[in-house]
Amino acid sequence: MDFIAIFSIFVLACFVGYFVVWSVTPALHTPLMSVTNAISSVIIVGALIASAAAGSATSKWLGLAAVVMASINIFGGFAVTSRMLAMYKKKER
Amino acid sequence: MDIQAILSAATGGHGAVNPYAAIAYLESGILFILALRGLSSPATAQSGNRFGMIGMTIAVVTTLLTHMPMKLGDATNSYTGVDPVGLIEILVAIGIGAVIGIVMARRIAMTAMPQLVAAFHSLVGLAAVAVAAAAYLNPVAFGIADAAGQIHVVSRVEMGLGIAIGAITFSGSVIAFLKLNGNMSGSPIMLPGRHIINLGTLAAIVALTAYFTQDQSPWVFWTITGLSFAIGFLLIIPIGGADMPVVVSMLNSYSGWAAAAMGFTLGNTAMIITGALVGSSGAILSYIMCRAMNRSFISVIAGGFGADDSGGGAGGSKEQRPWKPGSAEDAAFLMSQAENVIIVPGYGMAVAQAQHALREMADQLKKEGVNVKYAIHPVAGRMPGHMNVLLAEANVPYDEVFELEDINGEFAQCDVAFVIGANDVTNPAAKTDKTSPIYGMPVLDVEKAKTVLFVKRSMGGVGYAGVDNDVFYMDQTMMLLGDAKKMTEQIVKAM
């Protein structure tokens, strides 16, 4: 994809992010941080490409290390978010 | 279309985009947007979180399918299919991460959430550095090099940015973690001439990134990496413990920009969308935190808050002023006679682990027909929304918990304001005293309540900002001195 196309996606996504995040209720700002943490580990895509590629052993091991780190974040981030969200309860009536 | 066809499409040459993979990445990007959208209400948040998990699964599976580790054919064997050992290595790596991550998520105490988030940020940062380094060492595999092995100029800029932001996120988060976890003093560490050192290092990183577009030698790349690790460290050590909510939010933002920069390198929409979402999320949270403390972002980054406690603020606050002590029995009586009670919890409540006792107290009051609400200041905890999580953990229903701007008007009609473990966020000096270090900070108007019950360990200690609070000495205030948890338990007993 050419740079301008990618850049357009990026700029539009920033706007989407701006509006979506302002609509998050302040009571859920901590889960917001933990879930953004989990999804920013989508960097695992790059790590998987590096660990699958032939040609450089160092590059492959760096990739595998990054896969471990990103996985900790993905599983840990989603799990802790879900643990927190499960605690939010409405008043019993 | 079967997997083989997708695979061949994916390996069809550098820069060629596999349309199926591109659609899949777009889908996961959209699912991530929905994940954040779900957080607009606690009722939809869990399903939002599930969208996030599905999005991540799609991204990972798509990458695995289009980038299988392949066996290379040689003279005796022309088979070039999937390399099972390589695949197993990758799955083991994911498995190790999954076990560590899930165990951490299960075990962590809710009071320690800020540390956990800082630790997670550092991992994203380090992973970004590792990926950028891997792409630098093997650019052909990432489709960012020409036939001669020269990395495209645009990719070099993106890579330089990615590694710089990633490294800053890593080292900054490590320092933030150590400060939040108490392994390192929360007081700011001021190096002489730090502004010059920091600006010089930043300028060097920018200059080297520019030079990197002309010369892709290893020394340029690794010097950028090293300097970026250093600047992350230098930027965070002068920032005091009170500003950590801003720092954690800021690093959250950086981890997003790091992912976006890598997304540019790989031309991957899922990474770009996510990076933009996370980047803006962190930036907005930093802004909210700064506004709640009436601090400019620049002054937080410049650091040093809480270091210069010269003289302890205005008006020679050390003079003895009369204040009224109270007992648990008095508090129990006052509150059970009240119609409306607003509880103002602060971080001191969480440190004392008083939230469960507090909820019991509120339950007792509700049984006696008292209307109980909680008022939360944005910086009540150690990270945005932290106090809400701590109250939720103690089974406080979220519809009894109100944000500052929603409840501040109600203090005038309330009979008792019960302040527990909070101080600066109730200080009226922020509204009136221009010389006060917290002047301009939005505060909860507890002084307007008919009676203020102030639970505090002793009269000596003051909050983060190191300023005295006039509320202590007002006629309608009763000071309940003691440990927050024990005091609350005694009040419950006295009811």
Side-chain angles (χ1 to χ4, degrees), chain B residues 379-397:
Chain B
V379 292
R382 282 287 156 88
M383 69 188 287
H386 193 193
M387 191 52 64
N388 300 79
V389 174
L390 295 170
L391 291 178
E393 190 193 16
N395 285 322
V396 172

Side-chain angles (χ1 to χ4, degrees), chain B residues 270-495:
Chain B
M271 285 167 91
I272 291 171
I273 295 176
T274 314
L277 289 178
V278 178
S280 23
S281 161
I284 290 173
L285 291 177
S286 319
Y287 168 76
I288 294 175
M289 288 294 108
C290 283
R291 191 181 56 183
M293 296 192 288
N294 191 40
R295 309 253 291 121
S296 80
F297 189 69
I298 298 294
S299 70
V300 171
I301 296 307
F305 190 56
D308 44 12
D309 36 2
S310 48
S317 52
K318 291 289 162 270
E319 80 198 51
Q320 289 292 321
R321 285 199 272 172
W323 49 276
K324 208 161 47 180
S327 68
E329 287 73 26
D330 300 334
F333 176 77
L334 275 167
M335 282 194 281
S336 43
Q337 295 303 307
E339 206 172 311
N340 294 301
V341 171
I342 299 179
I343 299 173
V344 181
Y347 191 68
M349 186 255 338
V351 172
Q353 289 291 316
Q355 57 268 46
H356 292 90
L358 190 65
R359 205 249 316 148
E360 259 177 63
M361 184 187 96
D363 284 352
Q364 278 291 334
L365 288 172
K366 278 190 272 179
K367 249 186 240 161
E368 295 179 33
V370 183
N371 185 9
V372 182
K373 285 177 178 176
Y374 296 80
I376 308 273
H377 192 276
V379 292
R382 282 287 156 88
M383 69 188 287
H386 193 193
M387 191 52 64
N388 300 79
V389 174
L390 295 170
L391 291 178
E393 190 193 16
N395 285 322
V396 172
Y398 64 78
D399 40 5
E400 288 177 7
V401 181
F402 296 88
E403 303 300 321
L404 175 119
E405 55 267 36
D406 298 328
I407 199 163
N408 232 0
E410 294 186 29
F411 279 105
Q413 287 89 46
C414 105
D415 303 295
V416 178
F418 185 79
V419 186
I420 176 164
N423 183 3
D424 292 339
V425 298
T426 63
N427 195 338
K431 287 177 286 191
T432 52
D433 182 2
K434 284 201 171 129
T435 60
S436 170
I438 59 169
Y439 179 73
M441 176 171 129
V443 287
L444 291 158
D445 300 333
V446 291
E447 77 279 3
K448 291 190 181 150
K450 288 198 193 83
T451 307
V452 183
L453 297 173
F454 217 110
V455 181
K456 206 170 173 311
R457 196 180 294 275
S458 70
M459 286 307 285
V462 279
Y464 263 133
V467 279
D468 211 357
N469 190 342
D470 284 337
V471 174
F472 301 159
Y473 312 105
M474 290 189 321
D475 285 342
Q476 74 267 44
T477 304
M478 193 182 268
M479 299 300 295
L480 305 168
L481 298 185
D483 175 76
K485 187 178 178 191
K486 283 199 193 108
M487 180 56 72
T488 315
E489 282 166 351
Q490 282 166 13
I491 294 173
V492 175
K493 249 184 245 157
M495 274 175 180

Side-chain angles (χ1 to χ4, degrees), chain A residues 32-82:
Chain A
L32 171 68
M33 289 189 94
S34 60
V35 84
T36 50
N37 217 318
I39 67 174
S40 61
S41 302
V42 73
I43 200 141
I44 195 171
V45 167
L48 288 170
I49 294 175
S51 31
S56 163
T58 322
S59 170
K60 180 185 143 180
W61 286 107
L62 279 171
L64 284 173
V67 170
V68 174
M69 291 184 273
S71 303
I72 295 178
N73 246 315
I74 292 171
F75 286 91
F78 282 126
V80 84
T81 308
S82 138

Side-chain angles (χ1 to χ4, degrees), chain B residues 3-17:
Chain B
I3 290 172
Q4 276 308 315
I6 295 177
L7 279 175
S8 60
T11 49
H14 306 310
V17 177

